Amino acid sequence: MCGIVGYFGSKNAADVIISGLEKLEYRGYDSAGIAVNEGNELEIRKFSGRLSVLADDVKENPMKGNLGIGHTRWATHGEPTIVNSHPHFNKDKSIAVVHNGIIENYLDLRKELEQDGVEFLSDTDTEVIPFLIDKYYEGDLLDAVYKAVGRLRGAYALGILHKDHADEMVAVRKDSPLIAGVGEGEFFVASDIPALLNYTRNVYYLDNGEVVHIKGDKIEILNDKKEVVDKKLNKVTWDIEAAEKGGYKFFMEKEIFEQPQGCKDTLERRLDKDGHIVLDDIKMTKEELENLENIYIIACGTAYNAGVLGKTAMQKFMGIPVYTDIASEFRYNDNFVNEHSLVILVSQSGETADTLAVLRDSKEKGARVLAVTNVVGSTIAREADDVFYTWAGTEIAVASTKAYTTQIVSLYMISLNFALKMGKITEEYYFEMIEKMKELPGKIQEVLDNKDEVYEVAKQIVNKEHAFFLGRGIDYSLAMEGSLKLKEVSYIHAEAFAAGELKHGTIALIEEGTPVISLATQQNLFEKMVSNMEEVRARGANVIAIAQRHNKEVEKVSSHTLYIPDSDDLLSPVIAVVPMQLLALMVSDMKGLDVDKPRNLAKSVTVE
Ligand code: AGP
């Protein structure tokens, strides 16, 4: 995610801003820039790549001035190039803006401004903002900002400077994080607390729609009606490391708890004003879809587990067979990829060597390649024909969590869009599914709010050597992800089994006290799943069930039931995976292991 730092005080603005941005590097970025007011001129410098490139430039060519804004960019619209990096500015460079978030109506605004004669330099949504402010500017910067922001739709945290206002900064917060800091005769704005802790622990937590107005020796917080808000100045007690984790103990925990927002961002920011899914950079036409001979979803690890669920949805919506495989196998199997194939590659990092190899092989065979990835400008994103970004935000922990749930949401959105385009589903069903998907963030949050129930189960598992995850149909795909999470971070030997297959051999492994996490979220398979749970319980297993809230009878065959909110069977994995993610996290923590960096693992496996 992007990082913003703004400063006004007695120190050198560039020094403070760059040191602040360094504390935000954990958020992930691909370019960096800064604007400093050097006495009624704005000096703007920006570079793609690491923050150190900007820092080295500023060291060689110092920037004077004690008022500035800086930015590290996590690209969403436009490649990570210099021209796309922030700050963005208007034609005469009198206004500079840094932005974190997504302006949903930027295309309409861009068109309006181009009709006014504006010539845009970048591909970004952000660049409309300085020109909008310029359009309304008549000497009062704050007033112009209010008028411009009133035209924006979407999510934005903004830092704004004007060359003729050498003692003034305006910052705005809506849906993207932003805080304000107060030091000794100096003021700060930032995306997150770590950026400020070397200078002050006194912060204002901004609410949506609030505006920070720094002018001379005053700071005011205003609401969307430009009325001064009486905000409490808070004292931060965290240390830097804790602050990077947003107060959570581990990045994995933070990222599990970011899933409601990630799923909301991935879905709702792509619904146009009529509620239709807009597939960004996917340009497949109805004819191209109808000419497809086969569709493959290929990935590794957690991304593969998400891909298997994507297959289920795609087959259900589009009514055609979809094949899935793990990338390292697919490359060497006789596959039927040809110029009539669509190969969908799922990859959080966009750098996984096995998946990238499939991309190149598939393109050689003339196939259309569509990437679902979380990293803009990653190799897989750049080499694919079409790209769909999960907007999960940076995922730091090696064990993938929010990427998985947003990958499922993404694959379902793509499937719905394709199926409607091909006339395979009615508009009614299309909108019904979208409405149900909109409920997912709230349902995930319900599970997170009841996380203590999972703790009881973690205590039963922490000292076990083996654990089994059972499921049927969609729940079997889900069991694969649950077992991967547990083994990855707790080092307990965990395996997923198709519940109906257990009696064909594996049930020999069940003994007194063996933990069996049994997924029973699918209504059409519920009875059969209950009898499979009975089978293992009869042989001494400790059956822990995960079921939808209305299925109370599951308690007859389980020692412990983790209920999830009722939902459409197809959507239940996005909710039911959360207790399993929490279970893995808690067991690993209880064992005192390195939750975020498990042994032998890398966040991105760039070797075959
Ligand atoms: C998941 O928790 C693991 N970290 C691993 O299986 C990962 O999903 C796999 O390596 C694929 O990575 P990618 O999504 O970045 O391609």
Side-chain angles (χ1 to χ4, degrees):
M1 282 184 284
C2 303
I4 287 175
V5 177
Y7 175 76
F8 179 51
S10 54
K11 298 183 180 70
N12 176 286
D15 293 347
V16 174
I17 288 166
I18 287 173
S19 82
L21 290 174
E22 284 165 356
K23 295 289 178 285
L24 298 182
E25 286 196 274
Y26 71 87
R27 297 162 69 87
Y29 66 96
D30 37 51
S31 55
I34 187 170
V36 172
N37 190 312
E38 298 196 332
N40 298 346
E41 279 308 319
L42 290 184
E43 166 77 11
I44 297 172
R45 302 209 193 141
K46 44 190 199 175
F47 299 89
S48 56
R50 307 306 300 162
L51 178 59
S52 55
V53 176
L54 172 64
D56 293 347
D57 177 80
V58 172
K59 202 175 290 174
E60 277 161 45
N61 318 291
M63 298 176 86
K64 300 186 295 298
N66 59 355
L67 168 64
I69 50 176
H71 187 266
T72 45
R73 179 176 181 247
W74 169 268
T76 51
H77 290 75
E79 293 300 310
T81 56
I82 293 176
V83 75
N84 285 336
S85 57
H86 302 207
H88 284 285
F89 41 82
N90 58 337
K91 187 170 170 52
D92 66 1
K93 290 196 176 182
S94 58
I95 296 169
V97 176
V98 293
H99 167 223
N100 177 17
I102 289 170
I103 305 303
E104 292 168 357
N105 61 330
Y106 84 97
L107 288 173
D108 297 339
L109 293 170
R110 196 175 169 113
K111 216 176 288 171
E112 175 191 318
L113 290 163
E114 280 169 341
Q115 283 159 4
D116 294 348
V118 168
E119 288 174 25
F120 287 97
L121 304 176
S122 80
D123 308 324
T124 67
D125 52 343
T126 305
E127 198 183 0
V128 300
I129 301 172
F131 284 101
L132 263 186
I133 296 169
D134 194 10
K135 181 171 184 158
Y136 296 114
Y137 180 74
E138 295 171 345
D140 182 328
L141 178 59
L142 183 65
D143 183 57
V145 169
Y146 265 88
K147 287 187 174 119
V149 163
R151 301 287 312 281
L152 302 180
R153 188 159 48 82
Y156 42 88
L158 304 175
I160 300 150
L161 298 181
H162 191 292
K163 73 175 179 64
D164 297 335
H165 298 248
D167 68 344
E168 190 171 3
M169 179 188 341
V170 182
V172 186
R173 193 228 157 175
K174 178 181 174 290
D175 287 340
S176 289
L178 195 70
I179 57 174
V182 182
E184 291 300 318
E186 55 188 8
F187 304 109
F188 308 79
V189 293
S191 302
D192 201 356
I193 287 171
L196 307 184
L197 287 184
N198 282 340
Y199 301 98
T200 182
R201 288 181 174 272
N202 305 314
V203 300
Y204 289 115
Y205 297 114
L206 300 177
D207 294 315
N208 253 359
E210 290 185 337
V211 175
V212 181
H213 185 216
I214 294 165
K215 186 163 175 49
D217 61 357
K218 269 179 65 183
I219 182 171
E220 286 184 325
I221 312 292
L222 309 163
N223 64 18
D224 54 359
K225 299 179 189 62
K226 219 196 269 187
E227 299 154 342
V228 176
V229 180
D230 181 17
K231 294 288 278 188
K232 172 172 172 284
L233 193 58
N234 300 277
K235 190 86 175 170
V236 177
T237 55
W238 296 334
D239 61 24
I240 285 253
E241 178 160 335
E244 283 179 357
K245 298 184 184 101
Y248 291 100
K249 191 173 177 185
F250 304 106
F251 277 114
M252 183 178 176
E253 184 184 14
K254 175 172 177 277
E255 288 152 14
I256 289 172
F257 279 76
E258 286 174 339
Q259 291 183 113
Q261 191 61 49
C263 291
K264 181 177 165 55
D265 288 348
T266 298
L267 172 65
E268 297 201 17
R269 288 186 186 174
R270 286 190 171 97
L271 299 179
D272 67 15
K273 56 187 184 313
D274 304 320
H276 281 92
I277 295 166
V278 177
L279 283 187
D280 299 343
D281 304 330
I282 299 178
K283 304 167 192 65
M284 289 198 75
T285 63
K286 181 173 183 293
E287 292 66 38
E288 286 167 328
L289 288 167
E290 283 166 348
N291 289 338
L292 288 177
E293 270 178 20
N294 43 43
I295 299 179
Y296 296 92
I297 302 180
I298 308 296
C300 302
T302 285
Y304 168 74
N305 294 337
V308 173
L309 289 163
K311 161 206 166 83
T312 306
M314 200 160 266
Q315 290 189 153
K316 181 183 174 73
F317 298 154
M318 295 172 70
I320 51 179
V322 175
Y323 306 93
T324 51
D325 205 346
I326 52 179
S328 55
E329 285 296 305
F330 184 70
R331 295 178 62 197
Y332 302 107
N333 292 343
D334 289 336
N335 55 56
F336 299 91
V337 174
N338 60 42
E339 63 280 16
H340 301 296
S341 302
L342 171 63
V343 177
I344 300 174
L345 301 174
V346 186
S347 175
Q348 190 285 130
S349 63
E351 302 298 343
T352 299
D354 287 322
T355 311
L356 181 58
V358 168
L359 181 148
R360 290 170 175 162
D361 182 55
S362 300
K363 290 197 74 171
E364 266 171 35
K365 294 174 180 171
R368 180 80 174 248
V369 175
L370 189 166
V372 175
T373 181
N374 195 38
V375 181
V376 176
S378 58
T379 308
I380 289 175
R382 276 185 284 109
E383 296 190 15
D385 300 303
D386 305 281
V387 186
F388 188 91
Y389 289 113
T390 51
W391 281 332
T394 319
E395 189 175 69
I396 308 277
V398 165
S400 188
T401 51
K402 60 179 182 174
Y404 173 77
T405 44
T406 53
Q407 283 161 357
I408 295 171
V409 168
S410 302
L411 290 165
Y412 285 18
M413 290 167 68
I414 292 166
S415 307
L416 282 169
N417 179 282
F418 284 3
L420 185 68
K421 205 178 268 185
M422 295 167 73
K424 300 280 186 151
I425 56 174
T426 63
E427 283 244 326
E428 185 191 359
Y429 179 78
Y430 173 84
F431 286 118
E432 182 192 319
M433 282 310 291
I434 290 173
E435 284 312 304
K436 287 177 179 175
M437 288 170 76
K438 284 180 178 174
E439 295 167 4
L440 287 173
K443 294 185 173 183
I444 294 171
Q445 191 57 51
E446 268 185 64
V447 174
L448 294 171
D449 293 344
N450 296 307
K451 70 180 187 314
D452 294 345
E453 293 174 15
V454 181
Y455 199 70
E456 288 313 308
V457 177
K459 284 190 286 193
Q460 297 172 31
I461 284 185
V462 63
N463 294 316
K464 295 294 181 185
E465 203 184 334
H466 305 284
F468 293 107
F469 288 75
L470 298 191
R472 282 175 172 264
I474 280 179
D475 279 342
Y476 173 41
S477 314
L478 192 56
M480 292 195 294
E481 177 57 15
S483 68
L484 176 58
K485 285 286 96 45
L486 184 64
K487 68 182 119 183
E488 263 194 297
V489 297
S490 75
Y491 313 152
I492 290 174
H493 170 238
E495 290 307 327
F497 288 98
E501 183 64 8
L502 210 66
K503 54 188 170 299
H504 299 286
T506 313
I507 200 163
L509 296 177
I510 303 295
E511 50 194 25
E512 191 58 34
T514 303
V516 178
I517 290 92
S518 304
L519 294 161
T521 75
Q522 300 300 297
Q523 298 318 300
N524 62 327
L525 294 165
F526 183 71
E527 296 309 326
K528 287 224 181 313
M529 191 59 208
V530 167
S531 44
N532 291 141
M533 291 159 74
E534 186 54 63
E535 280 165 19
V536 291
R537 196 172 77 120
R539 289 161 177 82
N542 173 17
V543 177
I544 294 129
I546 296 179
Q548 294 199 30
R549 195 160 289 143
H550 69 276
N551 284 128
K552 298 295 184 201
E553 55 270 42
V554 75
E555 291 176 21
K556 282 186 265 165
V557 290
S558 62
S559 66
H560 199 104
T561 299
L562 297 171
Y563 283 113
I564 61 170
D566 294 346
S567 77
D568 184 292
D569 280 4
L570 198 57
L571 301 178
S572 65
V574 179
I575 309 162
V577 72
V578 178
M580 297 192 290
Q581 294 167 340
L582 291 168
L583 178 64
L585 166 75
M586 291 172 180
V587 172
S588 180
D589 188 17
M590 284 174 181
K591 295 180 77 171
L593 299 174
D594 189 343
V595 171
D596 287 330
K597 298 189 187 69
R599 69 185 181 200
N600 310 337
L601 296 179
K603 182 57 185 168
S604 177
V605 183
T606 53
V607 292
E608 293 180 21

